[in-house]
Amino acid sequence: MTEPETNAGEREKELTARLQAMEQQMERLAARLGEGEAAGSGPGSGSSAPAYEKDIPPDEITDVSEEVLNWATRTSLLPRLATLCFLLVVALILRTITDSGVINKLVGSVIGMSYAAILMIVGWYRYNKQSPLAPIFAASGALLMSTIVVETHSHFNSLPLVPAYLTLMATGIGMALISRQFNALTPISVGILSMCFAGSAMDYPRPFFPYLALLLLTANLLGYFAAKIKRCSWLRWVVLVVTMVMLQMWGVQIVTELRKGGTISSELAISWFLPVIAAFATTYIILGLLGIFRSGAEKISKFDLALPTLNIIWAFSIAMYVFSAQGGSEQTLAVIGLLIAIYYLIVTFWLEKQAVEGAPGAGSFAFACGVLLALALPVATGMFVISLPVISLVAITLAVMSRTWGSGSIRIISYLFQLYCCVAMVISFRGAGPTAMDAVNILPTGLLAGIILYQYQWSRSWPPSEKYLFFGRFDVHDRSAVLLLLTGLISGFYMMRIALFQVVTLLPAAMHRDAFVCAQSVLINSAAIALILFAFLRKNKEIRNVAILVMIVGGIKVFMFDLMATHGLPLVSSVFSFGLAAAAESIALSKWQKQPAEQSKVISAGPITGVKE
């Protein structure tokens, strides 16, 4: 019998054996299912006790082990482990020879770096041959090169600083070229991480920061190109965090030396700090835009969406920290921040003009614009309260444009801006000091209240489309816009609170405290009455619920604060005002429930001006 016929016979026997094994497995499975059905339909079927399965036959255990072996074979696990061990053995032998003094440490370092370079070249060759061992050679070469560079420079002092950094950068770039040629993520990811951490480790905690900054800038650029090969946001996050931490440490060391007085060490290179921060900030702005454009119709990565905001918070904060410590004009830097914020706003409008539905990515730059305005505008104007109406105007502008752009994220961002303005105002005007109660503050608080309430009315007149991801999935009826009503009412309360303080100062000094405390309660209860009447006339459940909430707040203040801390006529007026509020809401709610059934169908989130029952 010829050899082909023998092979054909063996294949036939193998296929027959496999078919028989499959038939046995099917029979066992059918028997198991039959037992389960019998147990469920038997006399004890009413009980919930589970049917116990039989022990797994040895054949199935063998099948599981075969699957594990097949996986190990497919991934070339054992060959890769063996190769890694052999490469490590060679490196350890070279290290042992060097440590024992057989060869000079500088010569040993050169041999070690040559060995690492050979491994990277072999990795490139293996990738060209589509070998499964290619990633092992390339990654081992990059890691070994970084380790030798750090040790040779930091411990042996035989490798100068500039060649050390250049070697690390060349390693990262070489790994990036391998990845670009063969569309492989492992070389560039290992190269970026190794150069990033090795560069940070050299001369830590006092490296020469301008050289380190150049290396980290290269790592960030390579991270962007790595994301073009495959989505790897984790890699870019790591590089971003390392960059910000190291440059932040640079700024802290500069400020520490400045506060000590005396001469600043040349190693800190203080003259390079602000230009380096500006270079990184500009790079991150460009990378953020490129990341949005690269995504196209696909979902934008969280890294690209968060980068504009994180960049501006970090860069502006650390630059202001160091610049002010140097005695520079904070207003000058704040004006530069305002110009960047305007640029961000222009980019937001420009992204909308790209004719992509929903203006993807515009929300990230709009949010960054608001954050930068919140940071820079108070410093530039010298008055924190003036910045709040400006940010509020930007918010309502974005809200109106969100309807034109078809962007739900822009609409949500406008809500967040208004919420920030209200919280910042409450913190700024807390207490009853002369600064918080200055009559000048009536204007910004009044403007803020008017703008926010107008946006609430606009949001109810123009409800969001269900096509928006957030509103279509989480907030179909735009309940989040209630925040606008609440923040508008709080802003109005603070405006009236300051006005009341000015009036109370006309009374005798002995009555100032009680009159001011109780007047605020009267103001809250009066607002509850006005809201419930307005809600009843417009048949609006949303405003009705807010009126009830305001009345509860007024009651808590009257009975838990006023009764304990005030007395006399102011206390009488406070309690009386709450009684009026409770009576008004009781009457309104009782008549509300008596409405005919056809008139009680109210759109809870209907427009203020609009749909009646």
Side-chain angles (χ1 to χ4, degrees):
M1 186 179 294
T2 61
E3 185 176 353
E5 292 177 352
T6 303
N7 293 336
E10 291 177 355
R11 291 176 184 172
E12 182 179 355
K13 290 179 182 179
E14 183 180 356
L15 290 175
T16 303
R18 289 185 179 181
L19 288 174
Q20 289 176 354
M22 292 178 62
E23 289 176 358
Q24 292 176 1
Q25 291 181 4
M26 292 296 294
E27 289 175 359
R28 286 195 295 269
L29 180 60
R32 218 177 267 177
L33 291 175
E35 291 174 4
E37 293 176 357
S41 60
S45 61
S47 64
S48 59
Y52 293 96
E53 296 184 356
K54 296 181 179 179
D55 294 337
I56 301 177
D59 294 344
E60 295 191 11
I61 298 177
T62 304
D63 293 340
V64 173
S65 63
E66 290 295 333
E67 287 295 328
V68 174
L69 291 176
N70 289 336
W71 170 80
T73 303
R74 287 196 307 270
T75 57
S76 302
L77 179 62
L78 295 179
R80 288 179 174 180
L81 287 175
T83 303
L84 182 61
C85 291
F86 293 145
L87 297 179
L88 183 59
V89 165
V90 175
L92 292 175
I93 291 174
L94 292 175
R95 174 61 186 268
T96 304
I97 294 174
T98 304
D99 290 343
S100 62
V102 175
I103 59 176
N104 183 271
K105 291 182 178 180
L106 180 59
V107 175
S109 300
V110 172
I111 294 175
M113 286 190 285
S114 301
Y115 173 61
I118 291 172
L119 290 181
M120 288 186 282
I121 294 173
V122 172
W124 169 81
Y125 177 77
R126 291 281 185 173
Y127 267 115
N128 199 30
K129 298 297 182 180
Q130 298 182 351
S131 170
L133 301 179
I136 301 299
F137 283 96
S140 299
L143 292 174
L144 186 60
M145 180 68 77
S146 302
T147 305
I148 294 174
V149 167
V150 172
E151 190 173 28
T152 304
H153 172 75
S154 302
H155 297 289
F156 300 154
N157 295 322
S158 55
L159 183 64
L161 186 62
V162 174
Y165 278 114
L166 290 177
T167 302
L168 292 177
M169 293 171 60
T171 301
I173 294 172
M175 293 292 98
L177 293 176
I178 294 176
S179 293
R180 179 180 177 82
Q181 181 177 356
F182 301 105
N183 197 30
L185 180 62
T186 300
I188 192 172
S189 59
V190 175
I192 290 174
L193 293 177
S194 60
M195 68 181 286
C196 202
F197 287 107
S200 302
M202 283 198 301
D203 298 329
Y204 182 87
R206 297 294 292 267
F208 189 69
F209 285 102
Y211 291 165
L212 176 60
L214 181 60
L215 182 142
L216 293 175
L217 183 62
T218 305
N220 281 275
L221 294 175
L222 293 179
Y224 170 77
F225 288 106
K228 294 179 67 175
I229 297 173
K230 185 179 180 181
R231 279 184 176 265
C232 52
S233 295
W234 64 269
L235 179 61
R236 301 184 70 188
W237 279 114
V238 171
V239 177
L240 179 67
V241 170
V242 172
T243 301
M244 290 185 174
V245 168
M246 296 307 295
L247 296 184
Q248 190 83 10
M249 187 172 68
W250 186 11
V252 170
Q253 290 182 7
I254 290 175
V255 173
T256 302
E257 293 292 329
L258 288 172
R259 289 177 178 174
K260 287 181 180 179
T263 306
I264 304 298
S265 173
S266 60
E267 295 179 355
L268 288 177
I270 188 172
S271 60
W272 280 95
F273 181 78
L274 290 179
V276 166
I277 296 298
F280 272 93
T282 304
T283 302
Y284 285 141
I285 292 174
I286 296 173
L287 291 182
L289 272 174
L290 292 177
I292 291 172
F293 285 133
R294 181 183 59 199
S295 300
E298 298 180 359
K299 184 179 179 181
I300 303 174
S301 69
K302 293 181 178 61
F303 180 87
D304 290 324
L305 289 176
L307 185 59
T309 302
L310 294 178
N311 169 41
I312 215 61
I313 292 174
W314 164 75
F316 185 80
S317 300
I318 189 61
M320 182 66 72
Y321 179 63
V322 175
F323 196 62
S324 60
Q326 289 180 288
S329 173
E330 295 183 356
Q331 288 187 335
T332 302
L333 193 59
V335 169
I336 296 175
L338 290 180
L339 295 177
I340 298 175
I342 294 172
Y343 168 75
Y344 270 32
L345 193 60
I346 294 173
V347 171
T348 302
F349 281 80
W350 180 68
L351 287 173
E352 182 273 332
K353 299 295 184 181
Q354 302 307 305
V356 180
E357 184 179 0
S364 62
F365 279 89
F367 188 75
C369 170
V371 171
L372 188 53
L373 285 175
L375 292 174
L377 197 55
V379 181
T381 60
M383 296 183 64
F384 180 77
V385 293
I386 296 297
S387 66
L388 301 180
V390 176
I391 297 175
S392 184
L393 283 173
V394 173
I396 194 171
T397 302
L398 292 175
V400 174
M401 297 307 300
S402 69
R403 179 174 171 268
T404 305
W405 300 344
S407 175
S409 61
I410 296 290
R411 186 178 181 119
I412 286 294
I413 288 170
S414 70
Y415 293 175
L416 294 177
F417 284 0
Q418 303 291 21
L419 180 62
Y420 160 77
C421 292
C422 178
V423 173
M425 179 204 63
V426 170
I427 295 174
S428 179
F429 295 152
R430 67 186 183 278
T435 302
M437 294 295 109
D438 194 339
V440 177
N441 294 330
I442 295 176
L443 179 61
T445 52
L447 286 174
L448 191 61
I451 295 170
I452 296 176
L453 290 176
Y454 177 78
Q455 183 174 346
Y456 171 74
Q457 182 179 7
W458 177 88
S459 67
R460 289 299 174 238
S461 301
W462 302 101
S465 171
E466 294 183 358
K467 295 181 180 179
Y468 301 163
L469 179 62
F470 176 82
F471 294 100
R473 181 178 299 178
F474 304 107
D475 191 9
V476 178
H477 300 291
D478 194 17
R479 307 290 186 191
S480 53
V482 178
L483 289 173
L484 297 175
L485 178 58
L486 294 175
T487 53
L489 291 174
I490 293 172
S491 301
F493 168 75
Y494 271 82
M495 177 191 70
M496 295 301 299
R497 181 173 180 264
I498 297 172
L500 286 174
F501 183 84
Q502 303 301 321
V503 174
V504 166
T505 54
L506 302 177
L507 301 175
M511 298 182 60
H512 282 182
R513 179 182 175 279
D514 290 351
F516 181 60
V517 171
C518 294
Q520 295 178 67
S521 301
V522 173
L523 178 61
I524 295 173
N525 294 322
S526 301
I529 295 172
L531 286 171
I532 194 64
L533 291 177
F534 188 85
F536 180 77
L537 293 174
R538 297 303 178 97
K539 303 299 181 290
N540 191 296
K541 286 186 178 180
E542 187 171 80
I543 298 181
R544 178 201 66 185
N545 297 338
V546 172
I548 295 172
L549 176 63
V550 173
M551 185 195 70
I552 293 173
V553 172
I556 292 174
K557 186 176 185 305
V558 168
F559 292 105
M560 295 189 67
F561 294 94
D562 295 357
L563 279 176
M564 303 295 178
T566 61
H567 61 280
L569 186 60
L571 178 60
V572 172
S573 62
S574 175
V575 177
F576 180 71
S577 66
F578 179 74
L580 286 179
E585 296 210 1
S586 175
I587 295 172
L589 294 176
S590 62
K591 289 188 176 183
W592 201 304
Q593 294 176 352
K594 293 179 182 180
Q595 296 288 339
E598 63 273 9
Q599 292 185 0
S600 63
K601 297 178 180 179
V602 183
I603 299 175
S604 175
I608 290 180
T609 58
V611 183
K612 296 183 180 181
E613 292 180 301

